């Protein structure tokens, strides 16, 4: 038994085992802690920023991309684009331009309109 202990002691003295420097362990631990603090800080900032923008931001961020409610008129018997334009155009506005805008807005190829048709107004 004594001989085994001597051999183990000799082997341990002569072994090429690499010992880890305690300063290296400390640096490694500090680096790990710094990275974790950074990650937690970034996540906290993202969470706080998202929460604040949700409470303070616009009512609906996508509302502007939807079609807004526009005024329209339902064509009755005897209506023409000219009569509709003259009753809905602003004072001093050129009626020809207003008729053109109505045609463009409603994708009309000509000035023919039909009773019951809904026309969007500019």
């Amino acid at each position: 038994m004594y001989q085994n202990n001597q051999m183990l002691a000799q082997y341990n003295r002569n072994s090429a085992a690499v010992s880890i420097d305690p300063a290296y362990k400390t640096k490694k631990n500090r680096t790990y802690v710094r990275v974790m603090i950074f990650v937690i800080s970034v996540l906290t900032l993202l969470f706080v920023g998202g929460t604040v923008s949700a409470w303070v931001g616009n009512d609906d961020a996508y509302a502007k991309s939807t079609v807004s409610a526009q005024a329209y008129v339902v064509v009755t018997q005897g209506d023409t684009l000219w009569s509709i334009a003259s009753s809905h155009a602003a004072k001093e506005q050129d009626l020809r331009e207003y008729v053109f805008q109505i045609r463009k807005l409603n994708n009309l190829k000509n000035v023919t309109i039909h009773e019951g048709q809904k026309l969007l107004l500019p």
Side-chain angles (χ1 to χ4, degrees), residues 31-101:
T31 303
Y32 177 75
V33 169
R34 287 179 183 159
V35 168
M36 289 307 296
I37 288 173
F38 176 76
V39 168
I40 291 171
S41 300
V42 168
L43 291 175
T44 303
L45 286 174
L46 288 173
F47 176 74
V48 169
T51 305
V52 168
S53 68
W55 285 98
V56 177
N58 294 337
D59 291 340
D60 189 2
Y62 299 104
K64 292 182 176 73
S65 66
T66 60
V67 177
S68 62
Q70 288 186 314
Y72 68 92
V73 64
V74 178
V75 178
T76 59
Q77 186 176 2
D79 279 344
T80 62
L81 284 179
W82 191 266
S83 66
I84 293 170
S86 62
S87 62
H88 291 92
K91 295 179 184 178
E92 307 296 324
Q93 186 174 7
D94 185 18
L95 291 181
R96 290 175 293 186
E97 180 63 31
Y98 197 79
V99 169
F100 175 76
Q101 289 174 356

Side-chain angles (χ1 to χ4, degrees), residues 101-110:
Q101 289 174 356
I102 292 173
R103 285 183 56 195
K104 185 176 177 184
L105 187 61
N106 292 286
N107 296 320
L108 299 175
K109 294 182 179 175
N110 53 37

